[in-house]
Amino acid sequence: MMKRRLRSSISTTWQTAVIVVAALLLGALFIAFAGESPLECYGVMLEGALGSMSRISEIMIKMVPLMIMALGVSIAFRAKLWNIGAEGQMIVGAITSAVVGLYIPLPPWLHMIIAPIFGMIGGALWAMIAGWLRVRFNANEVITTMMLNYVALYLLAYMVYGPMQEPGGYNYPQSSSMAESIQLTPLGAGLRVNTSVFVAIGVLILIILFWRSRFGFTVDLLGHGTKITNYAGLNANRTIIWTMMLSGALSGLVGWIEVYGVHFRLLEGIGAGFGDLAVVITLLGKMSPIGILFASFFISALLVGGATMQRMTAIPYSIVDIIQGLVIVLLITQPMIQQKLQARKARGIYVE
Amino acid sequence: MWNEIFSLTFLTSLLAATIRLATPILYAALGQIFTQKAGILNLGVEGTMIVSAMAAFTVSYFSGSLWLGFISAIVVGVLWSSIMAWLSNTMNAVQVIAGIGLNILGAGVASYVYRIIFGVRTLPPQIDPFPVVELPLLSKIPVIGPVLFCNNVPTYIAFLLIPVSWFLMERTTFGLRVKMVGEHPRASDAKGIHVTLIRNIAVLIGGACAGAAGAYMSTAYMNLFTDNLVQGQGFMAVAVVIFSKFRPGWALVGSLVFGFSNALQMRLQAIGAGIPNQLLLMLPYIVTIFALISTSRKAEMPSAYTKPYVRMER
């Protein structure tokens, strides 16, 4: 049993590695099209991503929120709830956690507990709307989470231009900055990476345990259909709502990390593009916690390395988007290709 | 401020802007009616639009012909959506994910190719966009004239496409087949209808229309290309289709709602009204959610919506 599981996870790792390499090779075609040497450009990218301690710190800064968010998205995805509203849930979490830091006077240690909880509640409630609409009205969660993304985006814009705007701050779309005592502390002098790394590790462990828990099994069961869940004597509707809330809570937590650890204030454009990135990571990681850990590292390195490549070579940053898009397209064709290969193999045996 | 809002010039300019902002959504939505009716949710419209917008601009810029640009955008739209057709109908991929993947890829490809061709410039290259064509006599009617009959040719075409797509969907065998493969692919197959072919065509029609929508953005609404030119309009089109319950006439209403709320916030901002425009911008998305609720309840979605058809499976 153990052995079989190990073997299957090794073969999954292999397949994913093949897909990543294939996406990079196709990306190389684009680089060649621009008249540059792919080998040289990827070299610059690698150097830019892993070349020094501060580069690694930059990767971690991106990896922490993206991994947590992808873990959240994976909970919904495994239940076949296509929650593509992680970005909106994160934005609402950022707003609610920022409210605590800006307006509620508390001792700093209490702030460090209350603010992330508020962020999680914000994200969870925002995701709950979509879950409830699905249960009550059978409204497709893809569309509702997507629409709620835009509503959250404009809610944030309203907040940072309106009620939460920094007083006397030259009309920038941002709030006042958080008091230093409640900011997340950097792990080393001159590095941006901060204590949120430990939060990420904690979340990762909790999610690994989650999939072994009773509720984790229920979520996986929901992925096989609402009817099956109900036959098993479990309430599918309630599971849908809780799954969405849990998924949203993790995105909301990321909102807190971005406000208190990266930007130190609420501002327009916080978390732009995070939702799509989280989806890419979730899929690349095959929705398993460890897979997501590696996938989030790869994608973060791609983002950081891509930025360096743009500065040092004639290759635009959008190559990063191209590679990610290719990764998704290749990933979703994989089951069918595998099926065809297996069918061919089976036919071969039959002929013999 | 209120005097200004209730003046005739304000009203006229507001409604004219509504039409301009509604047109690209209308284009994309009309095509997606076919795609979605055939049972395929293509969330990649956004990506198709941005790639086509780039193609339309580039071709127009170098050839000097706006129409050549417009047509190339449609061709690019068809080619780009053929990836979606292959993913959803041949590879039986999860359509939502395929759409998201193609959006990311599309945004990347459009921005990449544009930057490779035009390089980094301080001033973006520009073209002369489609000129306004005033229809004789009709354009002289007060308010209605300047709003409806003083537009560019692509806008008129979009409005003509409404009855065309209605006819195609409701009065032809092809339309019937599109609905059938969306409703009951197995029965269609038993009837001898080539399910995959019909679904592929439905996706490509959607791609052609999204191509036109993209071309409209870069060569008619604007006269340049930027990375964030499309900004959610592809998603709005998907929403409009659901809002309209797959009826072309209602797709116009949906597009106008989006166009109007967008135009209203722009106009109000222009005259410096003290209403927070962000709250107005939310309106179309909230309207869509409510429209979705009213549709989903009556189960008016195609039965095989987002479900790939596999012959071998029961």
Side-chain angles (χ1 to χ4, degrees):
Chain A
M1 176 68 188
M2 239 354 238
K3 215 171 182 181
R4 195 186 306 154
R5 253 179 66 182
L6 189 68
R7 200 180 299 155
S8 94
S9 83
I10 288 174
S11 88
T12 317
T13 312
W14 258 112
Q15 287 157 4
T16 312
V18 168
I19 282 170
V20 166
V21 171
L24 288 173
L25 285 177
L26 286 171
L29 288 181
F30 278 90
I31 297 177
F33 164 75
E36 295 275 316
S37 149
L39 216 58
E40 219 170 276
C41 288
Y42 280 144
V44 171
M45 196 186 234
L46 196 68
E47 175 79 33
L50 305 169
S52 70
M53 208 47 213
S54 77
R55 304 317 300 165
I56 308 262
S57 152
E58 284 308 298
I59 291 183
M60 300 301 272
I61 280 280
K62 291 223 154 37
M63 188 177 160
V64 165
L66 288 175
M67 185 184 80
I68 297 176
M69 225 156 147
L71 287 170
V73 170
S74 74
I75 297 175
F77 274 23
R78 270 167 82 156
K80 293 248 163 62
L81 289 169
W82 304 114
N83 172 18
I84 55 171
E87 195 162 318
Q89 290 144 24
M90 180 203 146
I91 289 172
V92 174
I95 296 173
T96 47
S97 70
V99 165
V100 183
L102 290 173
Y103 306 114
I104 306 178
L106 289 170
W109 65 270
L110 198 57
H111 255 302
M112 298 304 275
I113 300 169
I114 301 282
I117 290 176
F118 259 65
M120 286 167 81
I121 292 175
L125 290 179
W126 202 247
M128 193 191 78
I129 300 174
W132 180 75
L133 290 171
R134 163 77 190 270
V135 168
R136 180 74 180 75
F137 300 103
N138 194 26
N140 190 329
E141 74 280 2
V142 176
I143 316 273
T144 50
T145 50
M146 195 169 70
M147 293 300 123
L148 287 169
N149 274 348
Y150 286 100
V151 178
L153 217 58
Y154 289 121
L155 185 68
L156 173 66
Y158 170 69
M159 286 299 179
V160 292
Y161 278 107
M164 290 177 82
Q165 193 172 41
E166 184 174 16
Y170 307 105
N171 223 12
Y172 285 131
Q174 59 186 34
S175 73
S176 313
S177 72
M178 299 293 155
E180 214 161 296
S181 58
I182 54 173
Q183 292 177 3
L184 291 164
T185 35
L187 288 182
L191 295 182
R192 289 213 301 156
V193 63
N194 55 49
T195 40
S196 61
V197 172
F198 302 114
V199 177
I201 296 170
V203 170
L204 183 68
I205 293 168
L206 280 176
I207 296 296
I208 291 173
L209 295 175
F210 168 77
W211 290 117
R212 286 152 200 272
S213 73
R214 186 187 148 83
F215 187 59
F217 280 119
T218 317
V219 170
D220 268 335
L221 195 62
L222 188 63
H224 291 97
T226 45
K227 271 188 192 154
I228 293 178
T229 315
N230 284 330
Y231 281 143
L234 299 156
N235 188 333
N237 282 350
R238 198 181 302 155
T239 315
I240 288 176
I241 289 184
W242 278 108
T243 306
M244 285 300 286
M245 285 180 75
L246 201 55
S247 181
L250 289 182
S251 293
L253 185 66
V254 170
W256 166 71
I257 291 174
E258 289 294 298
V259 168
Y260 287 80
V262 181
H263 304 292
F264 306 117
R265 49 161 47 104
L266 189 66
L267 72 169
E268 198 178 24
I270 202 168
F274 273 39
D276 280 345
L277 289 167
V279 170
V280 179
I281 292 167
T282 306
L283 296 171
L284 186 60
K286 302 272 174 186
M287 304 183 210
S288 90
I290 299 296
I292 287 171
L293 172 71
F294 286 111
S296 61
F297 178 78
F298 169 71
I299 294 292
S300 306
L302 191 67
L303 294 173
V304 173
T308 309
M309 183 159 84
Q310 155 142 301
R311 275 197 307 276
M312 312 283 285
T313 70
I315 299 301
Y317 184 69
S318 26
I319 191 75
V320 171
D321 285 335
I322 294 181
I323 293 171
Q324 285 176 44
L326 289 169
V327 164
I328 295 198
V329 170
L330 293 171
L331 271 172
I332 53 180
T333 54
Q334 187 204 353
M336 194 66 168
I337 291 172
Q338 222 167 342
Q339 207 178 315
K340 289 233 164 95
L341 285 177
Q342 261 161 12
R344 188 170 293 170
K345 219 191 227 169
R347 217 177 301 141
I349 293 164
Y350 183 72
V351 169
E352 277 164 18
Chain B
M1 183 190 104
W2 291 106
N3 294 338
E4 235 177 310
I5 289 177
F6 288 109
S7 72
L8 209 58
T9 38
F10 180 83
L11 187 71
T12 313
S13 69
L14 174 67
L15 293 180
T18 301
I19 299 284
R20 275 199 304 278
L21 287 158
T23 303
I25 302 173
L26 178 64
Y27 261 121
L30 287 175
Q32 289 311 304
I33 287 181
F34 287 89
T35 310
Q36 293 199 19
K37 236 350 191 184
I40 288 149
L41 172 60
N42 182 1
L43 287 184
V45 190
E46 186 89 5
T48 315
M49 277 178 74
I50 193 78
V51 173
S52 311
M54 190 273 298
F57 178 81
T58 310
V59 173
S60 304
Y61 183 85
F62 287 109
S63 72
S65 160
L66 288 167
W67 283 109
L68 195 62
F70 202 81
I71 290 163
S72 344
I74 293 174
V75 173
V76 167
V78 169
L79 290 176
W80 189 262
S81 62
S82 69
I83 311 176
M84 181 67 194
W86 176 69
L87 287 174
S88 53
N89 300 332
T90 307
M91 304 313 278
N92 295 337
V94 180
Q95 289 163 13
V96 174
I97 307 296
I100 294 173
L102 287 178
N103 279 342
I104 300 176
L105 189 61
V109 168
S111 155
Y112 188 85
V113 173
Y114 176 81
R115 216 132 278 132
I116 296 298
I117 293 175
F118 292 96
V120 181
R121 303 186 184 183
T122 38
L123 275 174
Q126 296 184 351
I127 52 169
D128 291 323
F130 279 100
V132 167
V133 178
E134 290 184 19
L135 298 188
L137 291 177
L138 289 171
S139 60
K140 298 285 175 284
I141 308 168
V143 185
I144 300 173
V147 171
L148 290 181
F149 304 111
C150 285
N151 287 301
N152 48 41
V153 180
T155 308
Y156 295 128
I157 296 178
F159 279 78
L160 285 177
L161 279 180
I162 300 169
V164 171
S165 44
W166 174 82
F167 183 81
L168 201 57
M169 188 62 104
E170 303 297 335
R171 290 289 179 272
T172 64
T173 326
F174 172 73
L176 202 59
R177 286 186 175 160
V178 167
K179 286 191 241 176
M180 214 173 152
V181 297
E183 210 56 60
H184 204 316
R186 192 166 303 282
S188 325
D189 199 6
K191 270 275 174 196
I193 297 171
H194 198 315
V195 177
T196 312
L197 180 69
I198 297 289
R199 283 189 164 181
N200 280 339
I201 293 173
V203 174
L204 298 187
I205 290 176
C209 291
Y216 187 90
M217 284 313 292
S218 63
T219 60
Y221 180 71
M222 300 286 274
N223 58 345
L224 46 80
F225 175 82
T226 59
D227 286 350
N228 51 9
L229 189 64
V230 178
Q231 267 199 335
Q233 291 186 75
F235 287 122
M236 286 182 207
V238 173
V240 161
V241 173
I242 293 162
F243 168 84
S244 72
K245 302 181 185 172
F246 313 97
R247 293 167 297 184
W250 281 91
L252 172 65
V253 176
S255 310
L256 289 175
V257 169
F258 274 89
F260 181 76
S261 52
N262 211 347
L264 186 64
Q265 65 88 12
M266 278 163 73
R267 290 284 105 197
L268 286 180
Q269 221 176 0
I271 63 164
I275 303 166
N277 61 328
Q278 295 90 1
L279 299 183
L280 280 170
L281 280 166
M282 274 181 204
L283 208 65
Y285 302 100
I286 297 173
V287 168
T288 303
I289 292 176
F290 278 104
L292 188 65
I293 293 171
S294 65
T295 339
S296 312
R297 225 181 181 177
K298 288 174 212 139
E300 283 171 15
M301 307 295 262
S303 309
Y305 199 55
T306 74
K307 293 195 185 85
Y309 174 60
V310 187
R311 235 183 184 174
M312 308 279 281
E313 253 170 33
R314 283 249 32 134

